């Protein structure tokens, strides 16, 4: 199990004791499953699951408000985020390509936390540092910051019994700072599963205790990155490095609503040009006719023409069918149209659909 | 891990039960555990011919698709429709309800390639 160069989260020994299967992800050796991906997936949809997400990166930006430079870095408006709220969006390169997708939390008037992906943490830090104004400071707090996701329709009740009623009033994409196990922590009503849920940022030393405490309740079970992947895919949520990359713009990925064209940001001219001249490719979601699953890098064929490729594909436990997303040439993205998904092994028939695949999620209730 | 006495095994993690001139086969407990939740199985048509060590079936799990090879040459006698309708049977009961196909054996000599249960156990333990 010792694999060179891979980092381990503070919960590594606990996962081993739970019998987890591990695999490398974004430079980390992460638990992929415990009891099984489908069982963990279904448990998240009906009860509550606990995910170790310590691999993700967290930065703090403080200092000059209008002058922080964050506005230039993010595609969405940062200055209008109310304290106690967070916002999702992108940071782009000069060509409009996505460097990363991220969430920015407004902790104080002049203090923000930025949450980024594990594999991109280094390049994200450099990009932000380069573009931040001189009045602002940037700090990578990832090594001391642990992250636990508690997700599922019962998550709020379970977390309330542990943390008290303060979290009850939290709306979607809002957070509170509170003391947990004598340490300052952030509890955010966000997630990557489509279910009612919370992301908890806590001191790395305290996280084993919190993990154990939450799992004492039999309604909470651990879930790995395997179930996290099928859960997010059923919601049509993209995974950076797979569905999004530096060669893809947020318009091609269909995320127009996370872009504020009333402000300036890096990559904006390219997006404006794309809006004017049209897109070369577009992200589609599709559902297989059978239980057979599309896979990453499968070809997408329409009328015998190779028009694109699958970026994410899996079996959907909730729908009992294969589902996927991928990019096709402009003009082949019509809802309801039929596509063929093909690799050297086999091919399947699928239909382009809208998101989410799974429509009964409790996230926004 | 469950390795059943009395069955024959391949290094590709298939098991075989010989009954007169017929071989019933499936994948081992080790294989189903390594694959994870099985979500789709494609089997050859009854009456079709298969060749030893060539592709016989496709098994998809949540994470990936894998080939299953024919342990013996011969014609497909019967397929297990139950695992097409409920692929999870392969995880739950790899040696019983999760069997794949039965094959009318063409060449008895091909059986010499198989491992017995204790040899397969040694082989699998060497993989971990």
């Amino acid at each position: 199990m010792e694999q060179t160069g891979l980092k381990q989260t503070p919960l590594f020994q606990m996962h081993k004791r739970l019998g987890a299967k591990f695999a490398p992800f974004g430079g980390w050796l992460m638990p992929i499953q415990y009891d099984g991906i489908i069982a963990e997936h279904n448990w998240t949809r009906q009860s509550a699951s606990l995910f170790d997400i310590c691999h993700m990166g967290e930065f703090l930006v403080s200092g000059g408000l209008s002058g922080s430079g964050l506005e230039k870095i993010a595609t969405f408006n940062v200055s209008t985020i109310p304290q106690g709220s967070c916002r999702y969006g992108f940071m782009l390169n000069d060509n409009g390509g996505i460097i990363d997708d991220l969430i920015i939390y407004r902790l104080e008037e002049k203090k923000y936390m930025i949450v980024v992906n594990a594999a991109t943490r280094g390049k994200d830090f450099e990009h932000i540092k380069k573009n931040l104004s001189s009045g602002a400071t940037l700090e990578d707090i990832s090594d001391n910051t642990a992250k636990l996701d508690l997700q599922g329709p019962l998550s709020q009740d379970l977390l309330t019994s542990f943390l008290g009623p303060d979290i009850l009033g939290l709306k979607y994409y809002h957070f509170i700072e509170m003391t947990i196990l004598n340490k300052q922590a952030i509890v955010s009503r966000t997630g990557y599963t489509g279910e009612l849920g919370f992301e908890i940022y806590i001191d790395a030393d305290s996280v084993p205790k919190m993990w154990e405490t939450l799992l004492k309740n039999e309604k909470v079970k651990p879930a790995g990155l395997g179930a996290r992947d099928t859960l997010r895919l059923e919601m049509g949520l993209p995974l950076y490095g797979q569905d999004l990359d530096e060669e893809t713009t947020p318009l091609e990925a269909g995320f127009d609503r996370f872009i504020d064209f009333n402000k300036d940001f890096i990559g904006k001219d390219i997006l404006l040009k794309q809006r004017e001249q049209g897109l070369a490719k577009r992200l589609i979601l599709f559902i297989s006719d059978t239980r057979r699953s599309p896979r990453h890098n499968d070809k997408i064929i329409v009328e015998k023409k190779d028009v694109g490729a699958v970026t994410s594909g899996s079996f959907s436990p909730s729908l009992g069918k294969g589902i996927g997303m991928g990019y096709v040439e402009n003009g082949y993205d019509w809802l309801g149209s039929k596509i063929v998904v093909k690799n050297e092994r086999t091919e399947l028939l699928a239909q382009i659909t809208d998101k989410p695949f799974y429509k009964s999620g409790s996230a926004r209730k | 891990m469950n390795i059943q006495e009395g069955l024959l095994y391949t290094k590709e993690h298939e098991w075989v039960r010989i009954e007169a001139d017929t071989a019933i086969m499936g994948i081992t407990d080790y294989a189903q555990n390594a694959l994870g939740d099985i979500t789709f199985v494609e089997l050859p048509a009854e009456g079709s011919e298969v060749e030893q060590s060539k592709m016989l079936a496709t098994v998809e799990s949540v994470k990936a698709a894998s080939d299953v090879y024919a342990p013996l040459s011969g014609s497909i006698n019967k397929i297990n429709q139950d695992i097409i309708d409920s692929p999870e049977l392969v995880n739950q009961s790899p040696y019983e309800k999760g069997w794949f196909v039965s094959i009318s054996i063409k060449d008895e000599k091909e059986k010499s390639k198989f491992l017995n249960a204790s040899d397969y156990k040694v082989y699998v333990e060497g993989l971990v």
Side-chain angles (χ1 to χ4, degrees):
Chain A
M1 195 49 69
E2 297 304 319
Q3 298 196 33
T4 46
L6 291 174
K7 290 185 268 192
Q8 297 173 1
T9 79
L11 299 170
F12 185 77
Q13 293 303 329
M14 310 225 156
H15 302 317
K16 266 179 126 171
R17 252 175 274 150
L18 287 163
K21 284 187 194 173
F22 293 87
F25 182 81
W28 295 72
L29 190 57
M30 296 300 291
I32 299 303
Q33 64 169 78
Y34 306 84
D35 285 348
I37 293 173
I38 292 177
E40 292 162 32
H41 178 110
N42 291 336
W43 191 257
T44 313
R45 292 259 181 262
Q46 72 191 48
S47 187
S49 295
L50 189 60
F51 300 78
D52 175 4
I53 309 297
C54 293
H55 57 301
M56 285 185 77
E58 296 87 11
F59 306 147
L60 276 186
V61 171
S62 34
L65 170 61
S66 58
S68 72
L70 271 186
E71 213 60 89
K72 203 168 72 179
I73 293 163
T75 56
F76 52 93
N77 198 314
V78 178
S79 65
T80 57
I81 304 174
Q83 282 182 48
S85 285
C86 51
R87 222 166 256 180
Y88 172 84
F90 307 96
M91 123 178 134
L92 308 181
N93 61 28
D94 291 332
N95 299 320
I98 301 170
I99 295 176
D100 203 1
D101 60 343
L102 44 82
I103 296 181
I104 298 184
Y105 288 75
R106 189 163 208 164
L107 304 179
E108 295 168 15
E109 175 74 29
K110 296 185 178 181
K111 191 173 172 192
Y112 300 89
M113 180 171 76
I114 308 179
V115 180
V116 300
N117 282 297
T120 50
R121 180 178 146 195
K123 75 164 184 179
D124 290 357
F125 188 85
E126 290 310 315
H127 177 77
I128 296 170
K129 196 170 136 193
K130 196 174 81 188
N131 292 290
L132 218 52
S133 53
S134 54
T137 58
L138 172 68
E139 187 188 354
D140 186 341
I141 56 166
S142 309
D143 289 341
N144 298 320
T145 307
K147 179 172 181 284
L148 288 183
D149 290 10
L150 184 68
Q151 301 276 307
L154 303 187
S155 61
Q156 183 165 271
D157 295 343
L158 291 160
L159 204 54
T160 306
S161 63
F162 176 51
L163 298 177
D166 289 359
I167 62 152
L168 277 175
L170 276 181
K171 292 188 194 129
Y172 196 49
Y173 269 75
H174 285 65
F175 69 91
I176 52 166
E177 292 184 79
M178 61 191 302
T179 304
I180 301 176
L181 301 168
N182 298 317
K183 298 278 188 175
Q184 194 62 18
I186 290 171
V187 178
S188 164
R189 206 184 127 192
T190 44
Y192 196 44
T193 62
E195 297 301 331
L196 174 64
F198 299 85
E199 298 183 293
I200 302 145
Y201 302 87
I202 186 171
D203 185 274
D205 292 335
S206 306
V207 76
K209 182 85 187 293
M210 178 143 188
W211 172 269
E212 276 185 332
T213 308
L214 287 170
L215 284 181
K216 273 182 192 150
N217 192 314
E218 61 186 15
K219 288 176 181 155
V220 183
K221 290 183 181 177
L225 294 191
R228 185 171 160 86
D229 195 50
T230 54
L231 289 158
R232 69 94 191 167
L233 187 56
E234 281 189 354
M235 302 314 294
L237 298 170
L239 173 63
Y240 190 86
Q242 216 165 285
D243 309 305
L244 307 174
D245 58 30
E246 297 215 24
E247 310 304 316
T248 305
T249 73
L251 296 182
E252 292 164 338
F255 290 106
D256 308 42
R257 70 187 186 91
F258 300 104
I259 298 158
D260 184 350
F261 282 103
N262 295 315
K263 61 164 228 175
D264 275 331
F265 58 88
I266 297 165
K268 183 182 173 184
D269 353 332
I270 305 292
L271 301 194
L272 284 173
K273 205 177 283 176
Q274 282 194 333
R275 260 205 330 190
E276 208 173 289
Q277 300 174 353
L279 302 169
K281 61 176 181 180
R282 280 177 187 275
L283 186 74
I284 56 162
L285 276 68
F286 52 88
I287 180 162
S288 168
D289 281 356
T290 67
R291 296 176 62 95
R292 184 155 234 168
S293 302
R295 305 288 175 182
H296 181 68
N297 278 342
D298 285 357
K299 285 180 179 172
I300 298 175
I301 315 277
V302 176
E303 286 157 7
K304 294 188 177 149
K305 182 172 181 259
D306 184 350
V307 297
V310 175
T311 50
S312 283
S314 177
F315 178 73
S316 161
S318 304
L319 277 61
K321 287 187 172 167
I323 57 170
M325 51 173 95
Y327 287 89
V328 292
E329 290 172 25
N330 198 14
Y332 291 94
D333 60 328
W334 292 99
L335 283 181
S337 58
K338 301 275 187 185
I339 60 170
V340 174
V341 176
K342 192 173 160 63
N343 58 31
E344 62 289 336
R345 178 193 297 269
T346 182
E347 63 178 52
L348 60 85
L349 292 173
Q351 185 169 21
I352 299 177
T353 184
D354 55 352
K355 68 180 166 189
F357 292 106
Y358 177 72
K359 303 196 192 293
S360 312
S362 56
R364 291 164 189 269
K365 83 165 192 196
Chain B
M1 189 191 325
N2 181 359
I3 296 175
Q4 295 213 334
E5 288 295 331
L7 300 181
L8 298 168
Y9 296 89
T10 70
K11 288 187 174 177
E12 287 74 39
H13 308 286
E14 289 114 19
W15 59 263
V16 180
R17 180 186 294 125
I18 306 285
E19 291 177 358
D21 54 358
T22 301
I24 298 157
M25 62 80 59
I27 64 170
T28 65
D29 187 46
Y30 174 89
Q32 70 77 20
N33 183 57
L35 290 167
D37 292 326
I38 291 166
T39 55
F40 175 86
V41 182
E42 185 173 60
L43 297 176
E46 289 176 358
S48 63
E49 297 286 322
V50 294
E51 206 178 317
Q52 188 177 39
S53 303
K54 296 277 169 62
M55 195 177 113
L56 174 123
T58 300
V59 170
E60 291 191 8
S61 67
V62 177
K63 284 178 290 180
S66 314
D67 291 335
V68 174
Y69 303 101
L72 287 162
S73 305
S75 65
I76 300 297
N77 197 19
K78 206 163 183 306
I79 64 167
N80 183 2
Q81 184 66 37
D82 291 347
I83 63 169
I84 294 172
D85 301 331
S86 307
E88 64 276 12
L89 287 174
V90 180
N91 294 113
Q92 291 161 3
S93 176
Y95 300 111
E96 304 291 340
K97 291 179 183 163
W99 65 278
F100 276 46
V101 299
S102 69
I103 302 168
S104 299
I105 301 171
K106 193 167 148 191
D107 183 355
E108 293 285 329
K109 290 197 290 287
E110 287 180 346
K111 288 196 270 183
S112 62
K113 282 184 76 174
F114 297 144
L115 306 172
N116 63 29
S118 56
D119 290 344
Y120 178 66
K121 186 164 184 283
V122 170
Y123 172 70
V124 165
E125 282 166 355
L127 299 176
V128 180

